[in-house]
Amino acid sequence: MARSGLADAARIARWADAALGPGRGSATADGKATLSDATAEHAARELGLTVAQVRADWDTARLAGLIEVHGDTARPGWRLRAWNRDDGAVLRGWVALFDAWSLAHPEPDGHEPAAVAEVVSAMPQVLSFLQLSAGPVPVAQLLDLLEQRVTELRTERCEVPYGPRLEPGTPETPQPQQAADGTPLAPLLDWALHALASVGALTCGDGHATLTPLGSWAVWVKLEQICVAAQSPAGNIEQSAEAMLRGCGRLRPNAARAEYRAWLAARPVGSAVTELLAAARGEDALLRGLAFEALRVVGAPAEPEVRAVLDEPTLRPYALLWLAEHDGADPEDAHEVLTRQEATWLWVDTAAAVADHGEAPLLVRHLESAVQPTVPALLDEVRAVGHPRTVQVLVALAAAHPDPALAKAVRRAAFQVHTGGD
């Protein structure tokens, strides 16, 4: 359903990738994301569509993340690149469109912005009710629920409606349902339902509304995200990426992954990935490794940003492993994508994390993970790799190793790195 619903948007995104890429054409005349008249007419001729259809499909493609506009250049989003091989990318694209339903079908003119915002804020509860009902629900019943929720929102903001007050005992005259500020809610509910229908989340007819299977799934996903977020240890979900990762450093892998999911569920994917990579660029090697573990939980949406850091020596080995696993490599075999130098650099970086946050026996056991067949070969390549923490790692390893002869050789290697000697 998601593929069929986004098929027209994917078609215009592919056309834009071919026709509006660097040096091939301009999406707009003013550098904005809206198609220029000339470009819209060009697309309509080539695709056999009307200009109105082109503009509608273009807007859907942008909202679903199938196309990205940078200045006057369009380029495919990661979801379009993953379209044919990743059903999850298609579903994420549709969920992005679902989240933007109020933009996909703008509200009619003549309504107060505050009232529109209240209805948008209240619709998740309406959708949850539809999901729980698992069938057609009278629009009149949804209007009652919307009225209650809008009233709750205004009460939470401590907004008390002002106006004439009835004397005690005076019967009330029934009034049409409306927001506390006097704005009728029925037209706004009608707009919201038709907007959600336009993105494929529900159907409307005969005075009833019904979630589509795709809409029901999306609401369930949103509820699950809320539940996952609620499972986070107190306050950790509100922490920065660095603080969250430090907290996860003390957890077992499964518990840490649950924590990553909770943290990610509470913020937009793009900003979360940016924040995780910023934490990975710091001096703490443990956070670097944990940041990429969290990025594994993010999955495909992180691919462009992870690929973009391949030119950063500090992050390159981690990014190569992440991309290999993302492309289907077995985690146990993913290290094969690394050069000998990259593998050695990663060994030193991981050893630095163990030295800073682990116990001495862990550092000794870390020797077994080196790609070099002997300790002398490892020391030669460690000295040459140029990791900034090489001296500290070797000193810590020498202090921890129970073999006096090996410890002496490691200390000699640390001294030579420190002094720049052979």
Side-chain angles (χ1 to χ4, degrees):
M1 287 184 69
R3 283 188 184 278
S4 61
L6 292 175
D8 292 341
R11 177 176 57 177
I12 193 69
R14 290 194 182 95
W15 176 86
D17 181 31
L20 304 178
R24 283 171 286 175
S26 174
T28 67
D30 55 7
K32 295 183 179 179
T34 304
L35 281 178
S36 66
D37 291 341
T39 303
E41 292 169 2
H42 180 197
R45 287 194 303 271
E46 291 199 353
L47 298 175
L49 303 172
T50 66
V51 170
Q53 288 173 319
V54 167
R55 292 192 180 281
D57 293 344
W58 174 266
D59 289 341
T60 298
R62 287 176 50 227
L63 292 174
L66 297 176
I67 199 74
E68 299 173 356
V69 178
H70 300 267
D72 62 355
T73 301
R75 71 183 186 192
W78 73 266
R79 293 182 179 115
L80 184 66
R81 293 196 298 273
W83 183 270
N84 293 326
R85 62 178 171 82
D86 188 351
D87 290 339
V90 179
L91 284 172
R92 285 176 181 270
W94 185 83
V95 170
L97 180 64
F98 169 75
D99 287 340
W101 63 265
S102 60
L103 300 178
H105 189 82
E107 75 276 5
D109 295 332
H111 293 284
E112 289 293 330
V116 173
E118 288 173 338
V119 169
V120 172
S121 297
M123 284 308 294
Q125 185 165 333
V126 174
L127 290 169
S128 297
F129 182 76
L130 280 166
Q131 204 264 353
L132 291 172
S133 299
V137 177
V139 172
Q141 190 173 359
L142 298 178
L143 188 57
D144 286 337
L145 179 61
L146 182 65
E147 158 73 13
Q148 295 171 19
R149 182 57 184 150
V150 169
T151 299
E152 290 172 359
L153 290 171
R154 297 180 69 88
T155 301
E156 290 169 3
R157 296 197 305 266
C158 299
E159 295 186 10
V160 180
Y162 292 95
R165 302 183 63 178
L166 298 174
E167 295 295 329
T170 303
E172 295 185 8
T173 302
Q175 299 290 330
Q177 291 187 318
Q178 57 188 18
D181 66 351
T183 302
L185 288 181
L188 289 175
L189 175 62
D190 182 69
W191 158 68
L193 293 177
H194 281 86
L196 287 160
S198 74
V199 301
L202 53 79
T203 59
C204 296
D206 299 325
H208 290 73
T210 309
L211 282 180
T212 63
L214 198 57
S216 181
W217 171 82
V219 174
W220 180 83
V221 167
K222 297 298 179 184
L223 292 173
E224 184 184 45
Q225 288 176 343
I226 293 172
C227 293
V228 168
Q231 296 172 5
S232 171
N236 199 53
I237 195 173
E238 300 176 358
Q239 299 296 321
S240 66
E242 181 175 340
M244 181 273 295
L245 292 172
R246 290 193 186 282
C248 290
R250 299 185 296 271
L251 301 177
R252 293 183 178 274
N254 287 341
R257 280 190 289 272
E259 195 67 13
Y260 303 148
R261 285 193 292 269
W263 187 85
L264 291 164
R267 46 195 40 83
V269 173
S271 61
V273 171
T274 299
E275 197 173 341
L276 286 169
L277 287 173
R281 291 186 179 96
E283 296 182 357
D284 193 327
L286 176 65
L287 297 191
R288 194 154 28 252
L290 293 177
F292 277 85
E293 287 299 319
L295 289 169
R296 286 179 173 84
V297 175
V298 176
E303 180 183 354
E305 287 80 0
V306 172
R307 198 173 294 280
V309 304
L310 287 174
D311 292 334
E312 301 182 33
T314 302
L315 302 185
R316 179 176 173 80
Y318 293 95
L320 286 171
L321 291 177
W322 189 99
L323 290 167
E325 293 176 26
H326 175 65
D327 290 338
D330 189 306
E332 294 185 0
D333 300 328
H335 68 276
E336 295 176 2
V337 302
L338 301 179
T339 65
R340 183 72 162 244
Q341 184 177 15
E342 290 163 349
T344 302
W345 196 100
L346 183 61
W347 185 90
V348 178
D349 205 50
T350 306
V354 175
D356 289 343
H357 301 278
E359 298 177 357
L362 291 178
L363 189 59
V364 174
R365 288 201 296 271
H366 185 57
L367 272 175
E368 300 174 2
S369 67
V371 296
Q372 291 77 8
T374 65
V375 171
L378 170 65
L379 294 178
D380 286 344
E381 294 184 32
V382 163
R383 290 168 54 194
V385 80
H387 192 289
R389 295 291 305 280
T390 298
V391 173
Q392 292 92 329
V393 164
L394 293 178
V395 168
L397 180 59
H401 207 284
D403 184 336
L406 190 147
K408 181 179 179 181
V410 173
R411 276 195 300 272
R412 184 185 305 114
F415 178 77
Q416 291 169 341
V417 173
H418 177 62
T419 60
D422 293 329

